Amino acid sequence: MNAMISQIAIPPIARRRRVRPILLLAALAGFAAPAPAWAQPVPGPDLVVLPIRLLDTSGEPRDQSAAHAERLAAMARDLAKRLGDMSRLGDASRLGEARRFGVVEMSAETLARACPETDAACILAQARATGARLAFVGVVHKSSTLIMQMFARVVDTVSGETRIARELNFRGDNDASWQRMTAFLAREIAAAERTKN
């Protein structure tokens, strides 16, 4: 920074002179110039991934709450990344260049602080507050040691209307099965969203 200042410092002779009005006007005109294209505001996200919940009715004696919490967080993170890698088909056809599908993730802690009663209207309001037009809502149901179900919805954050709904089954409560389920779900949502645009 100091090197930059020394390069543009006024020569010693000019320091004693009064600043000419024309130079002052030129300097002020620089502040009024339009911002470059890269400084334009970035549009809000297309979708917010809300924390995924687990309903465990398997009755297994072993406490798996820590492993499940980790898998739920990993699923939300991976889903957000996979959906973020998808391009907008509609934008590609109109503009000749695909725009990334903007996805943000809301942490379980943030949502719990804002909506301690887990009220649907509050959750939707929090999703809307991110600026996203869509929200992903998901619940994993573990009914036995091997059988898992995923109930997934993509809803409009303004109307609350369901745009995409999937009820999927997967076998096995381990990292690999959860990861396969996440990859499959991301493909399903991406394909459904492309057909709607």
Side-chain angles (χ1 to χ4, degrees):
M1 186 67 140
N2 289 337
M4 186 185 301
I5 291 170
S6 66
Q7 288 175 2
I8 61 170
I10 302 169
I13 297 169
R15 282 189 195 143
R16 290 188 212 109
R17 295 184 186 164
R18 294 174 53 191
V19 177
R20 295 185 182 181
I22 192 73
L23 293 175
L24 184 58
L25 286 174
L28 292 174
F31 289 108
W38 52 264
Q40 297 303 318
V42 177
D46 295 291
L47 180 138
V48 57
V49 175
L50 296 176
I52 301 169
R53 298 183 181 274
L54 174 73
L55 173 63
D56 187 351
T57 59
S58 65
E60 287 186 23
R62 185 165 56 105
D63 180 16
Q64 295 177 290
S65 55
H68 283 150
E70 197 172 301
R71 287 182 187 136
L72 289 166
M75 179 181 260
R77 229 179 7 257
D78 192 22
L79 186 63
K81 182 187 180 315
R82 288 174 181 273
L83 290 174
D85 290 341
M86 142 179 129
S87 65
R88 294 288 305 280
L89 209 60
D91 289 351
S93 63
R94 285 200 307 276
L95 305 177
E97 184 178 316
R99 179 173 74 77
R100 284 173 60 90
F101 190 78
V103 181
V104 293
E105 183 188 349
M106 184 179 293
S107 72
E109 295 77 17
T110 299
L111 189 60
R113 269 196 312 274
C115 304
E117 303 298 319
T118 64
D119 174 61
C122 180
I123 292 170
L124 193 61
Q126 291 305 305
R128 194 166 41 248
T130 66
R133 61 185 181 85
L134 300 172
F136 172 84
V137 183
V139 176
V140 174
H141 177 210
K142 180 175 180 176
S143 54
S144 73
T145 303
L146 289 177
I147 306 298
M148 312 282 284
Q149 288 178 290
M150 178 79 185
F151 300 93
R153 301 282 183 273
V154 174
V155 300
D156 186 294
T157 59
V158 176
S159 67
E161 177 186 332
T162 298
R163 281 178 54 102
I164 300 168
R166 294 291 183 273
E167 294 179 11
L168 308 166
N169 296 318
F170 63 109
R171 295 178 68 80
D173 187 8
N174 55 57
D175 291 344
S177 65
W178 282 65
Q179 288 162 6
R180 283 193 302 272
M181 178 64 201
T182 305
F184 181 79
L185 179 59
R187 287 193 302 270
E188 285 285 299
I189 292 172
E193 183 60 23
R194 284 191 189 106
T195 61
K196 290 182 179 295
N197 287 326

